[in-house]
Amino acid sequence: MSSPRCPSCERPVKLPPENKTFPFCSERCRTIDLGRWLGEEFRVPTRQVEEDEDGQGLPPGAGSTPQDA
Ligand SMILES: [Zn+2]
């Protein structure tokens, strides 16, 4: 009952040396888990970019009022 499971897809995995991608079940799951870690690291500094998108307003002179001609 103590069979290891893949951290990515949580399926039962085989032990090394038969499984070269241990503790993952396959090369794909190892890549997915690695990408997940990198994604979380890159996600932190992107908060400032999201706040910058909020500074959009009407361009100056859009509603020009006709003055005394
Ligand atoms: Zn897997």
Side-chain angles (χ1 to χ4, degrees):
M1 293 294 288
S2 62
S3 59
R5 289 178 179 271
C6 173
S8 186
C9 68
E10 296 185 352
R11 289 180 183 175
V13 296
K14 296 179 181 179
L15 294 173
E18 185 181 1
N19 182 6
K20 293 182 179 179
T21 58
F22 187 85
F24 303 97
C25 68
S26 63
E27 186 83 25
R28 178 190 291 181
C29 278
R30 188 174 68 173
T31 305
I32 290 175
D33 191 75
L34 181 64
R36 185 183 301 169
W37 275 96
L38 292 177
E40 288 181 359
E41 286 187 13
F42 283 127
R43 196 176 287 179
V44 177
T46 44
R47 279 185 178 180
Q48 293 180 343
V49 179
E50 291 180 2
E51 289 181 0
D52 276 341
E53 292 183 8
D54 215 15
Q56 283 190 348
L58 289 174
S64 59
T65 54
Q67 289 184 350
D68 188 67

